[in-house]
Amino acid sequence: MITRRGFLGSVPALPALAQTGKRPNIVFVFSDDHAYQAISAYDGRLNRTPHIDRIAREGVRFDNALVTNSICAPSRAVVLTGKYSHLNGVIDNRQRFNGEQQTFPKLLRAAGYQTALFGKWHLQSQPTGFDAWEILPGQGSYYNPDFITPSGNRRRDGYVTDVTTDLSLDWLNSRDKSRPFMLMCQHKAPHRNWCPSPDKLSMYEGVTFPEPNNLFDNYEHRASPARKQAMEIDRDMRLGMDLKLTGDAPDQQGPVNELKRMTDAQRRIWEAAYRRRNAEFHTRKLQGKDLVRWKYQRYMQDYLACISSVDDSVGRILNWLDATGEADNTIVVYNSDQGFYLGEHGWFDKRWIYEESIRSPMLARWPGVTRPGSVAKEMVANLDVAETFLEAAGVPVPADMQGRSLAPVMRGQTPADWRRSFYYQYYEGGEHAVARHCGVRTDRYTLAHFYETDEWELFDREKDPRQMRSVYGDAAHAAEVKRLKAELARLRSELKVPEVDPDRQ
Ligand code: SGN
Ligand code: CA
């Protein structure tokens, strides 16, 4: 059940606060499109992320960390407000965030915290509630990125993930040491078009990654939206812009938007790194499934190299906390704005209520609260981040926030009335052509309603974890469908979801 109240008042004072009288610092490292499948603490098949794994080893790994709406700007607005999209006003990537509304950084700042945000923002309006900020315009660039700052725009030399980390560490070093801080270090990486740091361009050259066993899904046994999407590696992933092919063909000019930002020296490094591998591609004349397989491998090589830099960023921040003696009094949370498809169902991108997109990686270390090496199976969400940080700071959680502090779950003392069902809604219709849908996810089932065409899907994830066969309509599941539809209606009413989508009223 989702309660509208925070947890303050009903739990004993938190150790960090109780023992030292000191309010904890907060570091929130937020990446863009980082799939949990690409963190070795979750899944060792693809890559190694030693620094993110350290958070899991010294803290908690959330195995059912969900998002309410699996797309970028909406997820960011949910984190800031602790409210669903229909209440915070950002239902898709086109909306501008109303910075006048209540956010957790504002509440922390009013309570004496120093607050800062660096990197990806994507909410169109300028950040509010921060003592310091520098943000990427829109999606931002990987190489020598432009930043919007309170005093105007500036280009910063370097690779975006490193620059964002530098800005974060510089601010930490120059802060007022007499007060606690809350830092949001928000990476662009590993967002499309997956451009690695110049020193990691060849990191995975020659490595062959295991393919997901549903790379060649034919979308049978599901409602029509799964067939009508435009996020297939086969059909929708571009050879030049996405996969760095260079050659004579117009669609093979490399990631032109990024190449034009490079210095000549950087560009030479980039060309040398891809030249031999691209030449080999041209001699092979791949077709059909072989071409899809090649695309998947190149996608993974670049995507995972981007993640390696994000992992380095986490390492630098953890090292800084150790070196300055702040580690014991600092909450560190690693999270991504949503999950991502790494070839499952033949896809890249996100947006669906299905597992790879509704689930994001979330790991937290809170000395004195999290138990080292623990795993939380409870359904938690980006909706709970604001409430968690407010409670940690001893700031009352406003009654209109819709999530719940994760502190008791982190402590291993999950309240008996923790949510057992979770409401999801996706609104955007444009790029990648995913139909609007809402639904409910429980620990076993996912019920989805594609309400524009009134189609339903039901997945029994215990029997069908890859979600390949909807059992909606099977007589054997009729009672479950009835129960979940009632739960969906109950959640919609409790969460004040309007009958008609906000942009269509
Ligand atoms: C860009 C990407 C899309 C991606 C959206 C939203 N296209 O438009 O593939 O789904 O961002 O991503 S690209 O050709 O510009 O790379 S989000 O994470 O910001 O929501
Ligand atoms: Ca994203």
Side-chain angles (χ1 to χ4, degrees):
M1 193 187 83
I2 297 178
T3 59
R4 279 195 206 84
R5 284 234 133 254
F7 222 62
L8 200 79
S10 46
V11 286
L14 294 164
L17 201 52
Q19 283 164 19
T20 62
K22 254 173 92 178
R23 293 180 295 175
N25 304 309
I26 296 164
V27 175
F28 184 63
V29 184
F30 201 44
S31 54
D32 195 356
D33 293 2
H34 190 173
Y36 54 82
Q37 308 92 298
I39 291 181
S40 41
Y42 281 98
D43 184 339
R45 279 176 297 182
L46 291 174
N47 63 339
R48 292 282 164 264
T49 47
H51 303 297
I52 298 173
D53 291 8
R54 182 180 163 196
I55 303 176
R57 208 168 53 243
E58 297 176 356
V60 57
R61 184 188 84 202
F62 291 96
D63 279 4
N64 285 289
L66 311 176
V67 295
T68 64
N69 179 359
S70 180
I71 188 80
C72 199
S75 176
R76 287 155 204 276
V78 168
V79 166
L80 290 170
T81 62
K83 292 176 185 167
Y84 271 79
S85 306
H86 58 273
L87 295 187
N88 68 42
V90 181
I91 62 166
D92 61 37
N93 277 346
R94 291 166 302 190
Q95 259 100 39
R96 182 184 174 88
F97 182 71
N98 171 9
E100 312 239 301
Q101 67 186 299
Q102 166 185 283
T103 64
F104 86 83
K106 283 189 191 174
L107 294 168
L108 288 182
R109 195 175 182 212
Y113 270 70
Q114 294 165 84
T115 58
L117 180 142
F118 301 101
K120 174 120 180 222
W121 171 250
H122 205 199
L123 290 170
Q124 296 185 45
S125 54
Q126 289 204 341
T128 53
F130 298 97
D131 294 303
W133 55 267
E134 278 201 32
I135 56 169
L136 298 163
Q139 296 286 6
S141 304
Y142 274 106
Y143 303 123
N144 309 318
D146 292 328
F147 278 84
I148 302 171
T149 84
S151 56
N153 295 3
R154 58 173 301 178
R155 181 184 172 105
R156 289 191 174 274
D157 294 335
Y159 182 65
V160 68
T161 307
D162 303 338
V163 174
T164 303
T165 312
D166 292 343
L167 288 169
S168 300
L169 294 176
D170 287 351
W171 179 77
L172 286 173
N173 284 322
S174 64
R175 79 193 196 283
D176 166 7
K177 295 192 177 54
S178 68
R179 293 190 290 141
F181 63 81
M182 190 285 292
L183 166 71
M184 304 178 86
C185 174
Q186 306 207 148
H187 291 298
K188 167 187 172 63
H191 192 274
R192 192 182 184 189
N193 44 359
W194 319 300
C195 293
S197 160
D199 63 325
K200 295 191 192 270
L201 289 166
S202 302
M203 179 174 182
Y204 290 112
E205 183 171 353
V207 176
T208 303
F209 297 98
E211 290 169 7
N213 54 15
N214 54 357
L215 180 62
F216 297 102
D217 194 349
N218 59 11
Y219 316 114
E220 277 177 359
H221 313 300
R222 270 148 288 171
S224 69
R227 284 187 289 284
K228 292 182 180 153
Q229 43 62 40
M231 56 171 73
E232 291 174 25
I233 292 177
D234 183 2
R235 208 180 42 195
D236 306 303
M237 196 179 264
R238 295 164 299 176
L239 290 173
M241 283 297 277
D242 290 328
L243 298 176
K244 329 295 184 307
L245 273 182
T246 46
D248 297 331
D251 67 338
Q252 297 180 20
Q253 301 300 310
V256 280
N257 56 333
E258 292 288 351
L259 289 176
K260 69 177 184 227
R261 302 193 64 85
M262 290 183 145
T263 62
D264 289 346
Q266 289 167 334
R267 178 111 183 206
R268 279 195 293 276
I269 294 170
W270 191 93
E271 280 164 0
Y274 285 101
R275 187 181 300 124
R276 203 194 50 75
R277 287 190 283 159
N278 285 352
E280 189 195 337
F281 171 85
H282 289 300
T283 61
R284 290 175 68 189
K285 309 261 182 274
L286 300 168
Q287 301 270 334
K289 286 190 173 178
D290 291 337
L291 179 57
V292 174
R293 293 200 154 100
W294 182 89
K295 290 172 89 174
Y296 167 75
Q297 294 297 336
R298 173 62 65 89
Y299 166 36
M300 283 304 94
Q301 288 172 0
D302 289 345
Y303 179 86
L304 297 171
C306 289
I307 284 169
S308 176
S309 291
V310 173
D311 190 58
D312 289 349
S313 166
V314 171
R316 289 177 65 197
I317 291 169
L318 294 179
N319 285 344
W320 183 92
L321 291 170
D322 289 338
T324 55
E326 297 289 351
D328 284 346
N329 194 42
T330 302
I331 302 169
V332 179
V333 174
Y334 183 83
N335 193 199
S336 170
D337 62 344
Q338 356 82 199
F340 211 66
Y341 290 93
L342 305 183
E344 300 87 356
H345 303 286
W347 293 340
F348 62 101
D349 214 66
K350 53 265 178 174
R351 300 163 194 265
W352 303 95
I353 192 175
Y354 311 145
E355 289 299 283
E356 292 84 355
S357 39
I358 195 176
R359 273 186 61 197
S360 67
M362 191 192 269
L363 309 100
R365 184 184 75 181
W366 184 350
V369 174
T370 50
R371 295 162 304 149
S374 54
V375 174
K377 299 284 182 197
E378 290 81 357
M379 284 193 285
V380 304
N382 56 351
L383 191 69
D384 304 322
V385 169
E387 294 83 342
T388 306
F389 292 159
L390 289 171
E391 186 191 340
V395 177
V397 178
D400 61 352
M401 287 193 172
Q402 296 180 305
R404 194 163 172 177
S405 167
L406 297 174
V409 179
M410 291 184 184
R411 230 186 279 114
Q413 296 167 1
T414 304
D417 64 348
W418 193 258
R419 66 170 73 90
R420 294 200 168 81
S421 64
F422 182 75
Y423 180 72
Y424 179 85
Q425 186 160 9
Y426 169 80
Y427 302 84
E428 199 166 310
E431 204 175 2
H432 300 299
V434 172
R436 290 186 183 213
H437 58 290
C438 64
V440 57
R441 183 190 184 276
T442 66
D443 60 351
R444 177 165 177 183
Y445 293 99
T446 301
L447 177 77
H449 186 207
F450 297 93
Y451 47 91
E452 291 171 303
T453 51
D454 196 21
E455 293 176 86
W456 294 82
E457 287 177 338
L458 175 70
F459 295 97
D460 177 350
R461 302 196 320 276
E462 203 174 283
K463 297 206 174 108
D464 177 22
R466 296 177 309 150
Q467 298 174 286
M468 299 295 283
R469 171 182 281 272
S470 165
V471 292
Y472 186 87
D474 285 13
H477 292 90
E480 198 55 50
V481 165
K482 195 165 169 224
R483 196 183 67 79
L484 288 168
K485 281 189 176 176
E487 184 61 7
L488 183 62
R490 189 191 70 76
L491 286 169
R492 285 177 62 96
S493 150
E494 181 179 281
L495 296 167
K496 303 186 169 64
V497 183
E499 250 343 284
V500 179
D501 289 351
D503 61 336
R504 298 198 168 152
Q505 283 170 12

